[in-house]
Amino acid sequence: MPQAMETYQQVLDAMTDAFRARDASAFLRHIRLPNIMATVDGSITYDDRDQMATSFNRYAGELDARGIDRIERECVSARFNAHGILEGYHLTRLYQGEDLALDPFTTHLLFERSEDGQWLNFRSETGLATRAWPVLPEHALGNPPDGVEEQNFEAFGIFQTLLNVVTQHYLTGNLEGLHETVEYPLHMHTRHGELVINNFADLKADFDIYLKEFSIHGVTDVLRTVKNARFVSDTEITGTYKTYILNKERLVVDPYESEIILGLSQAGKWRMRRVNHSLGHLNWRREGVVQ
C-alpha cells in the first residue's frame, strides 16, 4: 500500500526529527496516551505526558552516552488495517560516526487518527531485548515469552520481527518488499514436495498464487506466532511458528505449523533461506480443507 507507506514514513520522519533535536514537546505531538512500548523481554505503559517526556529524555541520554550521533529510520512495510489503524514496520540504523553502533533492527508502530486528522502513535514493539540494549528502563523488564530462554531472546526477536514483516508484505501485495526478505535460492517444502525459488520471477509466480488464494477466500488477516527460535550459528537462525489465516473472525484453514531457516547476508540483513510448511497454499482447496 504505497499511500500507507508514505503516510507512515512522513509521521516517522517527524518523530525522528524531534528526537534528533532532542525536542520532547515536538515528539509528544505525535503520541496518543496511554502509550505502550514493548520489547522481547518487557513492556511499559505511559499514562501521561510527563512520563513520556521522561522516557524520551532517558533514551536520548542513553544514546548520547554511547556516542550515537546519527539515526536513520526507513519504512519497509505499512497498511491501514480493517479497524482504520495505520500499522507498519521500519528499519532503524544507529551510527557512531560512520560505523553502525549495533545491527539494524526493525520496529512495529501503530497509529490512530485523531479527530483533527493527525496520526498518533499508541503502541511500539521492537524485537530487541532490553537486557541487551536500553530501549526500556530496567523496571519495565518482565517475563520472557513462554518457553524462550534468555540466551535465545535475540534470535526470537529477529525471527518474530522478520516473520511479521513478511506477513504484512503478503497482506499488502508488496512483492518488492518480500524480495528484500529472501535469500536465493529459497527452498520451500510442503506436502507436495520441494519448491525452489531461484530468482525474482519465481518469487513473483509463487506470490501471485498466494494473492489469488487470498482473494478467493477473502483473507483479511494472517497471524503468525513464534513457538521457538535459536541461533544455529552466528549467521543462521532456525525457528518454528503457527499460522492462522482469517476471513474476519473465521479461520480459512486449520492453523498449521512451519519452520523457517534465516541466513544473515553480507549486507547484515536477515533473509529467509528455507521454509518448511505442513500445509501448502496450492492444496487449500484441492484437499478440501476449506469448506
Side-chain angles (χ1 to χ4, degrees):
M1 290 188 178
Q3 182 182 358
M5 289 186 66
E6 181 179 348
T7 301
Y8 186 100
Q9 186 68 58
Q10 288 174 349
V11 183
L12 183 66
D13 287 345
M15 296 174 72
T16 304
D17 288 344
F19 195 83
R20 287 170 178 156
R22 301 297 192 260
D23 188 340
S25 295
F27 184 83
L28 288 171
R29 285 198 286 271
H30 304 285
I31 296 296
R32 191 212 74 182
L33 299 173
N35 189 280
I36 300 171
M37 300 179 67
T39 63
V40 174
D41 54 354
S43 67
I44 191 168
T45 300
Y46 295 105
D47 295 311
D48 63 54
R49 292 174 62 83
D50 288 342
Q51 289 178 337
M52 281 297 301
T54 298
S55 173
F56 177 94
N57 291 325
R58 180 201 64 81
Y59 190 57
E62 293 280 4
L63 296 192
D64 289 342
R66 286 165 171 74
I68 307 299
D69 54 15
R70 182 156 55 101
I71 301 173
E72 295 181 357
R73 301 203 289 181
E74 177 187 7
C75 176
V76 296
S77 178
R79 68 166 181 155
F80 300 107
N81 70 21
H83 304 288
I85 300 298
L86 171 62
E87 63 164 333
Y89 296 86
H90 65 269
L91 192 67
T92 297
R93 295 180 176 87
L94 302 176
Y95 289 89
Q96 296 167 326
E98 296 301 316
D99 299 322
L100 281 167
L102 74 163
D103 291 337
F105 59 91
T106 303
T107 301
H108 180 208
L109 295 183
L110 292 91
F111 297 89
E112 183 180 68
R113 197 162 196 175
S114 66
E115 292 182 356
D116 62 358
Q118 300 298 309
W119 288 102
L120 304 178
N121 169 246
F122 65 91
R123 185 179 179 92
S124 64
E125 303 167 346
T126 177
L128 290 176
T130 296
R131 288 172 172 83
W133 188 258
V135 180
L136 302 179
E138 289 187 4
H139 68 265
L141 289 174
N143 296 323
D146 290 343
V148 180
E149 298 178 355
E150 187 168 344
Q151 65 265 27
N152 294 326
F153 282 172
E154 183 180 359
F156 184 94
I158 292 169
F159 191 88
Q160 180 72 77
T161 301
L162 183 62
L163 196 60
N164 292 344
V165 171
V166 167
T167 300
Q168 192 167 91
H169 288 328
Y170 278 103
L171 288 171
T172 59
N174 186 353
L175 176 60
E176 289 74 17
L178 182 66
H179 167 69
E180 293 298 319
T181 69
V182 169
E183 175 183 291
Y184 298 109
L186 173 64
H187 295 264
M188 302 183 69
H189 182 80
T190 73
R191 290 179 185 175
H192 301 307
E194 186 87 2
L195 172 66
V196 180
I197 296 179
N198 290 296
N199 49 44
F200 184 82
D202 289 347
L203 183 68
K204 182 179 185 306
D206 187 72
F207 186 74
D208 288 345
I209 293 171
Y210 263 105
L211 295 189
K212 182 178 179 179
E213 294 286 356
F214 278 20
S215 177
I216 290 172
H217 300 298
V219 172
T220 56
D221 212 347
V222 177
L223 303 178
R224 288 177 167 139
T225 57
V226 176
K227 296 184 64 178
N228 58 69
R230 63 181 178 86
F231 282 101
V232 178
S233 68
D234 290 342
T235 59
E236 192 168 87
I237 293 173
T238 182
T240 60
Y241 62 96
K242 181 171 282 191
T243 296
Y244 303 83
I245 300 176
L246 302 171
N247 176 330
K248 297 181 180 177
E249 297 180 356
R250 180 179 64 85
L251 282 168
V252 170
V253 64
D254 289 338
Y256 60 94
E257 292 188 4
S258 304
E259 176 191 31
I260 290 181
I261 296 174
L262 306 181
L264 186 64
S265 71
Q266 292 183 345
K269 293 185 65 175
W270 288 97
R271 298 175 184 268
M272 294 185 292
R273 182 173 287 171
R274 182 177 182 86
V275 182
N276 297 321
H277 284 310
S278 60
L279 175 74
H281 53 78
L282 290 174
N283 64 328
W284 281 14
R285 286 166 292 136
R286 179 160 58 233
E287 295 188 3
V289 178
V290 180
Q291 303 300 321

